Amino acid sequence: MDNKNKKFYFILVLSIMFANTAVIFTKNALSFGAMPIIIGFYRLGFSALIVVPFALYKEGKHFLTLTNKEKAFCILAGIFMALHFLCYFSSLMYTNGFIATITSAVQPIVIAIASYFLFKETINNKSILGMLTAVIGILFIGIFTFLISKGGNSFIGFIISMMTALFFCAYLLCSRGVLKRVKEYTFLAILFTTCAVILGIGAIITKTPFTGYPTQMYLNCFGLTFFCTILGHAIMNICVKYVSATVVSVVSLTGPLFCTMYDFTFFGEKVLPFQIIGGLIILAGVYLFIKSDKKTEKEIE
């Protein structure tokens, strides 16, 4: 792996680190009485307000050249992203946040299978071994978390969490396809706007109030926008243009490690032994996958 590739992977991991600061801002926003769906609406709404003017300034003429098919795919990606958030928010009604996130372990498997049929992408045996190792690590953490939870976790919540992961895979694959033809900022502008509209409609349907919260709640939503969406998911979306969606999905499995670190640092939650063991397994799997994915390295060059 040359210096150019190392720099890229560093940026990718950095974007995942920023994306997972969501645990900090979300817990703070929830403490002020906001429901998860309204937090998501403001997160993506603020994101759209930032990105849309910038996209029009930088790529306004490009937007006018988009075909109806390209616009449709951008909107479709936004719908998948909104469904991902809606399912995630809904799963939190039945189970805890950690169980809701460990189902992301299915993402690399779904992405690898879908990418094979959609983009003719293949991975070698060592890459598969690395992917499965990372999946084992995150399942190790999830199973032990499930077993030691005092109140128990609903099977319904687990099923909805699985849907959360599947919709994220669909969104990621759709992003990969459309970014081959649509410029990044134009895509993000349509993506964030569509997602905010869908979440807004969801809030209206569930009769969730949009106003009446303390100023601190809105500030935490803006923190979600700047750190999680702009520095996190936006950069991750751009990464998908240059490497396979499978690699982005597998490296994203390091997210629980950052969540654990943030929980310990900001909320005093202890890091349990099984979380450390599972985290090391995840890191080993991700490292093996990246080292063995020679095809992806060629894509970056």
Side-chain angles (χ1 to χ4, degrees), residues 26 31 37 105 118-119 126 155-156 165 194 208 229 232 257 260 277:
T26 301
S31 69
I37 193 170
L118 296 176
F119 307 120
K126 289 185 178 180
F155 184 70
I156 295 176
T194 302
T208 305
T229 303
L257 301 180
T260 301
I277 295 173

Side-chain angles (χ1 to χ4, degrees), residues 44-55:
L44 277 300
F46 286 146
S47 300
L49 290 175
I50 293 173
V51 174
V52 169
F54 185 77

Side-chain angles (χ1 to χ4, degrees), residues 12 14 26 43-44 54-55 75 82 90 95 107 121 129 135 138 175 198 226 245 269 281 301:
L12 178 59
L14 200 62
T26 301
R43 170 182 173 173
L44 277 300
F54 185 77
I75 293 174
S90 298
T95 186
Q107 291 175 11
E121 294 178 358
L129 178 62
V135 169
I138 203 166
S175 300
I198 296 296
F226 183 75
E269 296 187 10
I281 296 174
E301 295 174 353

